[in-house]
Amino acid sequence: MTRGLLRVYLGAAPGVGKTFRMLEEAHRRRDRGTDVVVGVAETHGRPRTAGLLDGLEVLPRREVRHRGAGFTELDLDAVLARRPEVVVVDELAHTNVPGSRNAKRWQDVQELLDAGITVLTTVNVQHLESLNDVVQQITGVPQRETVPDAVVRRAGQIELVDMDPEALRRRMAHGNVYGAEQVDAALGDYFRVGNLTALRELALLWLAGKVDEQLDRHRAGHGVEAAREAWEAWEAREARERVVVALAGGPEGEALLRRAARIAARTKGADLLAVHVVRGDGLAGADPARLARQQVLTERLGGTYHQVVGTSVPTALLDFARGVNATQLVLGTSRRHRLAQLLSPGVGVTTAAAAGPIDVHLVTHLVTHLVTHKETRRGRPRPVPPLVAGGLTPRRRLAGFLLAGLGLPLLTAGLSATRGEVSLSLDILAYLLLTVAVALTGGLYPALLAAVGGFLLLNYVFTPPVHRFAVADPENLLALLGFVVVAVAVSTVVDLAARRTREATAARAEAQTMSTLAAAVLHGDRPLPALLAQVREAFALTAVTLLARSETTGWEVAAAVGDLPATTPAEGDPPTMTAEGDPPSTMPFLGDLPATTPTGGDLPSTAPADGEIEVPIDDDLRLVLRGRTLAAADRRLVEAFAVHAAIALRQQDLAAQAAAAETLAEVDRLRTALLAAVSHDLRTPLAAAKAAVGTLRSGDVPLSGSDRAELLAVAEESLDRLNRLVENLLDMSRLQAGALGLQMRPVSVAAAVRDTGVPVRVPDDLPPVLADPALLERILDNLLSNALRYSPPLRRPTITASTHAGRVEIRVVDHGPGIPAEDHDRVFQPFQRLGDRDNTAGVGLGLALSRGLASAMGGTLTPEPTPGGGLTMVLSFPLIST
């Protein structure tokens, strides 16, 4: 039986029209003569959607009783008995009532598809299982009904039902999605413009991934080279250049990165990806410090850094390149000598031969030699490769030499006693076993000694003619040569295995140390001190200091960690005491040091020569370690983290500079705004009041009673404006100083908005909020005054209140010109009126003061667009916990 086709209408949010589009498709198929029935269609009371059910066959739903209540669900058995060609099943992620055949509706759909019935269904992006947690982070609303992504991805057709966020909000405001009682809360919470935009982007990205999968399947099934259609599709997919550069961890990496960046820069929008292949056997290879520097360079060039694990470097590189749809691959040419290249073509040549449609650029050694020469001249200490020290400890090698030196004479004496009874082949086997034992004990060089000594003894003592270094029988000569070859081969394998085991153990320890240090740094609030503290602890050091060169004072301590010895107090000074009252023996220092430090003991280094170990980072930075010397492998780790310390220092300096610049800019902006406010808003009412009082005092102008009353009113109004301005300035100063007195108690929202003079919609059962009554009324007065100032004459502002998500929300809604979304935060800045400079607009403190008062009482004040035009101010307080 042919499986049915699944067609999914995917939406970013409720209300975009998925069910409407699905029912339109059902009508089109019915008009073409297809047998279509409606199993489930959720219209949610929307008249236009419900009207589309006219003319379609709607199957009755199955009634289910659960805990005394009645529910209706899809009648799966009725659909299977009817066996239509197409069935409409809305809301794929719906959870069935307990007691149904399947727990989820998507499982019902799978049965229908298995029965050969085509299904039209809908689902929102927030119900996809892989995006469920992301949607919750965006909207703050958990989605308990989910559908596995694989179910939707297996659909034969997926149609995105899209709608602009503003258009969806207008649809909701007109009552086309939810009832009137739910509109305000929905618009202010889940259906915010930012939420809808993010959900829309998620839907588009998820659908783009589905398109990529379809192209992959098409390419695999038809073959890019064989099928013209698949090749054109693949070319369309690769329209964006992706340049991958292979980093081996050598000094040529920086030159390769810059060459690859230039290649990527030739095409607009090209991606740069750097990849390093880690050996699959877990052995240490590249220098981690150099790789860390190259990773930083990659990010500075606008690329991304990746690490992959593979036993074959060419295979791993090509797998990664094909996985990211790379169009170009940049590698360095082999640095091996010509004989080695004759035996093996090398990574570059092997990769280029198997690259297929990917363009491979082999950068010659002449280009990368300049970088190597530069590093050599700089004098940076090069790490000692682990293989130089050998795979076994000196004690084991000594034991191997002793076993060879003692075992050969003893074995020769024993075999000589049995001469004539034992054949030459058994003598050779005995010496071979001794050689293997020596190899297992001492490695390659003692085993070579045993092999050569055994060959000579076998030739001189046991091979005719005896007591002469000659062989009469050619078979005996071949046997002796075979013995030497086998002995050398076994010795080499044993020694190599020992080397690899030791190297793998060191690499595992290296990786564990680096991951531990990195985790400690990432989880700390102060990355640079945390990094130095972890280096000190990991390597049992007494002090770690990061020195920075200054043009005026020489080397300066940028950061340091360690144990600072106790200060020897001067005569007459009290001793330094700990919290418990006992004089300390040592005091830990971390980060910045005091202006004066005691002498003696393990102090932070003030010059590179003060420590046992100096790790150069660049020309102006040194990491100085005190306490003990380090092995070569430990030094490699310290060099890697020295680079990260330099990065953390630069980030710390940039953050400090940015904070200082922001503070200065804020102070300058406030000073400028305050001067402008004083020069305009303060001087205007003063001038009006002074002119009115001066006229009243003058006897030159005869004044009637009405004139005198009007002048007095002008003076009173001007002084009231001055009084409000001074009160706002004082309250703002108290807020910034944290000296605002609060009298918090439960306050009824209905009572607070009772005498505002505008339409009010507050539910009778609305719970009270914990606030200062006077300050709450002042906030509402400021918000309402602002709304009245900008509302049209025939559309007065309104005040609504409701509870949502554990909070009480008070909305002051106006239908004026509104404020662009990018200016929503600016309206709360002091002395900010967005260019409005009329004589009645005020100094621009009202909204800033209102938000500050709301925050002081534990609430929030946020703006949002009014559906249909205007601005809504949302004042929110948490519910009073019982």
Side-chain angles (χ1 to χ4, degrees):
M1 179 184 296
T2 304
R3 181 178 171 84
L5 178 68
L6 178 63
R7 178 163 183 156
V8 178
Y9 291 85
L10 175 67
V16 295
K18 302 179 301 299
T19 303
F20 193 93
R21 190 78 62 84
M22 177 181 63
L23 292 176
E24 283 185 333
E25 176 64 18
H27 275 279
R28 281 192 294 271
R29 298 199 180 201
R30 185 208 61 179
D31 295 340
R32 293 198 300 264
T34 305
D35 183 13
V36 180
V37 300
V38 177
V40 175
E42 304 291 353
T43 63
H44 298 289
R46 300 163 191 166
R48 292 188 60 198
T49 305
L52 286 176
L53 292 175
D54 295 338
L56 294 175
E57 180 183 351
V58 181
L59 296 179
R61 300 192 188 185
R62 182 172 58 90
E63 294 185 1
V64 182
R65 301 290 299 179
H66 179 64
R67 294 183 178 178
F71 302 89
T72 60
E73 293 288 357
L74 170 68
D75 195 337
L76 182 59
D77 292 329
V79 178
L80 292 173
R82 171 67 172 74
R83 294 196 62 83
E85 293 178 85
V86 178
V87 62
V88 173
V89 181
D90 206 358
E91 295 187 357
L92 184 64
H94 170 76
T95 300
N96 293 330
V97 177
S100 302
R101 181 193 303 181
N102 297 310
K104 297 287 187 177
R105 184 167 289 171
W106 61 265
Q107 295 172 325
D108 295 338
V109 169
Q110 293 299 310
E111 288 197 32
L112 296 173
L113 295 174
D114 292 337
I117 302 173
T118 295
V119 179
L120 307 181
T121 189
T122 64
V123 69
N124 282 327
V125 69
Q126 69 263 27
H127 296 298
L128 295 174
E129 199 167 56
S130 64
L131 302 178
N132 184 259
D133 56 341
V134 180
V135 173
Q136 181 175 350
Q137 292 175 7
I138 294 172
T139 63
V141 180
Q143 298 291 337
R144 295 178 176 84
E145 294 185 331
T146 60
V147 58
D149 291 50
V151 174
V152 184
R153 289 189 183 278
R154 284 198 297 266
Q157 297 175 345
I158 300 179
E159 181 175 339
L160 179 65
V161 184
D162 194 18
M163 178 173 286
D164 182 78
E166 290 293 349
L168 178 57
R169 286 171 59 84
R170 285 195 298 270
R171 174 182 285 186
M172 294 192 64
H174 295 155
N176 295 333
V177 179
Y178 292 138
E181 68 281 359
Q182 299 175 281
V183 170
D184 286 342
L187 288 175
D189 189 66
Y190 191 91
F191 288 83
R192 296 177 185 271
V193 173
N195 290 355
L196 295 176
T197 303
L199 292 173
R200 190 184 189 194
E201 182 180 11
L202 279 179
L204 292 170
L205 290 174
W206 191 92
L207 193 60
K210 165 70 175 176
V211 173
D212 280 349
E213 289 180 2
Q214 290 176 336
L215 282 174
D216 286 336
R217 288 197 300 267
H218 193 79
R219 184 189 184 212
H222 297 80
V224 174
E225 293 80 5
R228 177 179 177 83
E229 180 185 358
W231 173 253
E232 292 174 352
W234 189 247
E235 281 192 327
R237 186 186 185 189
E238 293 186 345
R240 184 171 184 174
E241 290 282 346
R242 289 181 176 87
V243 181
V244 173
V245 54
L247 299 179
E252 73 282 353
E254 295 183 6
L256 291 176
L257 279 170
R258 292 188 171 89
R259 173 62 65 88
R262 290 194 295 271
I263 295 174
R266 296 170 188 166
T267 304
K268 183 178 180 180
D271 294 331
L272 175 64
L273 301 92
V275 59
H276 171 67
V277 178
V278 180
R279 294 169 59 174
D281 53 11
L283 303 181
D287 181 4
R290 183 174 285 119
L291 276 177
R293 290 192 294 271
Q294 292 173 4
Q295 179 178 354
V296 174
L297 177 60
T298 302
E299 294 170 353
R300 286 210 310 264
L301 294 174
T304 57
Y305 179 84
H306 308 267
Q307 280 192 346
V308 296
V309 179
T311 54
S312 171
V313 175
T315 302
L317 281 178
L318 291 175
D319 288 344
F320 174 82
R322 294 186 180 113
V324 299
N325 302 318
T327 55
Q328 302 190 58
L329 183 60
V330 180
L331 303 94
T333 55
S334 177
R335 290 174 292 170
R336 302 178 305 161
H337 51 79
R338 294 186 179 275
L339 178 59
Q341 294 183 31
L342 291 175
L343 298 175
S344 175
V347 173
V349 176
T350 305
T351 304
I358 302 176
D359 297 335
V360 179
H361 302 264
L362 292 178
V363 181
T364 63
H365 181 67
L366 180 62
V367 175
T368 59
H369 172 71
L370 298 176
V371 180
T372 309
H373 182 61
K374 180 181 179 181
E375 290 219 357
T376 303
R377 290 174 54 192
R378 185 181 296 174
R380 183 181 303 277
R382 301 177 63 84
V384 179
L387 290 180
V388 172
L392 298 174
T393 61
R395 179 176 297 179
R396 285 190 60 180
R397 291 195 178 279
L398 178 60
F401 281 116
L402 289 176
L403 180 59
L406 296 176
L408 288 174
L410 292 176
L411 180 62
T412 303
L415 292 177
S416 298
T418 60
R419 182 180 300 169
E421 300 177 5
V422 178
S423 64
L424 179 62
S425 59
L426 291 179
D427 294 335
I428 293 176
L429 180 59
Y431 278 96
L432 181 59
L433 291 176
L434 175 63
T435 303
V436 171
V438 171
L440 292 173
T441 304
L444 178 61
Y445 298 112
L448 291 178
L449 174 63
V452 174
F455 172 80
L456 295 176
L457 289 173
L458 282 168
N459 186 3
Y460 187 78
V461 178
F462 300 102
T463 305
V466 296
H467 303 305
R468 291 178 56 189
F469 288 105
V471 180
D473 191 347
E475 291 184 2
N476 292 337
L477 178 61
L478 292 177
L480 291 175
L481 292 177
F483 160 74
V484 173
V485 171
V486 171
V488 171
V490 171
S491 304
T492 304
V493 169
V494 171
D495 186 74
L496 184 61
R499 290 170 181 263
R500 291 293 184 261
T501 301
R502 186 177 180 183
E503 195 175 82
T505 303
R508 183 169 62 251
E510 246 183 48
Q512 184 175 0
T513 302
M514 294 184 72
S515 63
T516 303
L517 295 179
V521 173
L522 289 175
H523 294 159
D525 296 330
R526 304 174 65 194
L528 180 55
L531 177 64
L532 299 185
Q534 288 296 322
V535 170
R536 170 178 168 266
E537 180 181 349
F539 298 103
L541 302 169
T542 58
V544 179
T545 308
L546 183 62
L547 296 177
R549 190 195 302 272
S550 173
E551 296 181 357
T552 56
T553 60
W555 292 103
E556 294 182 350
V557 177
V561 294
D563 290 328
L564 192 65
T567 311
T568 303
E571 185 176 354
D573 292 337
T576 303
M577 305 295 288
T578 63
E580 291 77 8
D582 298 327
S585 59
T586 61
M587 296 182 296
F589 62 87
L590 178 64
D592 299 331
L593 296 173
T596 60
T597 57
T599 59
D602 289 328
L603 296 174
S605 305
T606 57
D610 291 347
E612 282 84 355
I613 300 173
E614 173 195 356
V615 180
I617 302 174
D618 55 28
D619 294 337
D620 298 324
L621 288 175
R622 296 288 189 275
L623 188 67
V624 182
L625 313 179
R626 301 187 66 177
R628 70 182 185 93
T629 58
L630 297 179
D634 291 340
R635 186 182 179 94
R636 295 178 63 196
L637 280 175
V638 173
E639 286 182 349
F641 281 96
V643 176
H644 290 291
I647 298 171
L649 176 63
R650 292 189 177 95
Q651 291 176 343
Q652 179 177 293
D653 293 342
L654 290 174
Q657 294 173 10
E662 179 64 25
T663 302
L664 292 175
E666 180 68 14
V667 171
D668 184 67
R669 187 188 64 78
L670 290 177
R671 183 187 297 112
T672 303
L674 181 59
L675 290 175
V678 170
S679 64
H680 184 278
D681 297 278
L682 193 61
R683 186 172 57 186
T684 299
L686 275 175
K690 183 177 181 181
V693 173
T695 303
L696 289 171
R697 293 186 59 190
S698 175
D700 299 336
V701 180
L703 299 173
S704 64
S706 61
D707 292 337
R708 297 176 66 85
E710 183 177 354
L711 288 173
L712 287 172
V714 169
E716 183 180 16
E717 182 183 355
S718 299
L719 292 175
D720 286 342
R721 289 180 58 191
L722 284 176
N723 184 54
R724 288 195 298 270
L725 174 61
V726 172
E727 286 181 352
N728 284 341
L729 288 171
L730 290 176
D731 285 341
M732 182 61 70
S733 299
R734 294 190 189 101
L735 275 175
Q736 293 177 346
L740 185 68
L742 298 176
Q743 297 179 358
M744 305 291 287
R745 63 172 181 265
V747 179
S748 170
V749 176
V753 300
R754 180 181 300 136
D755 300 324
T756 56
V758 298
V760 175
R761 297 201 304 268
V762 178
D764 295 335
D765 59 348
L766 189 71
V769 297
L770 187 64
D772 186 310
L775 296 183
L776 178 59
E777 291 184 5
R778 187 166 183 184
I779 294 173
L780 293 172
D781 181 64
N782 282 339
L783 297 180
L784 192 59
S785 299
N786 192 69
L788 287 169
R789 183 179 302 126
Y790 296 107
S791 292
L794 300 180
R795 300 194 68 181
R796 294 177 61 77
T798 58
I799 298 178
T800 66
S802 62
T803 59
H804 185 73
R807 301 183 72 87
V808 176
E809 296 182 346
I810 307 171
R811 286 180 164 79
V812 180
V813 183
D814 71 63
H815 300 279
I819 296 176
E822 60 269 16
D823 291 330
H824 280 182
D825 288 334
R826 291 181 57 199
V827 297
F828 294 104
Q829 297 175 4
F831 315 112
Q832 174 59 254
R833 295 180 305 187
L834 299 183
D836 185 7
R837 306 300 297 178
D838 62 40
N839 291 337
T840 63
V843 75
L845 277 178
L847 291 179
L849 181 61
S850 298
R851 172 173 273 191
L853 294 176
S855 178
M857 293 187 292
T860 60
L861 180 61
T862 56
E864 62 183 36
T866 300
L871 184 69
T872 297
M873 286 292 181
V874 183
L875 181 62
S876 174
F877 291 95
L879 290 174
I880 300 177
S881 58
T882 57

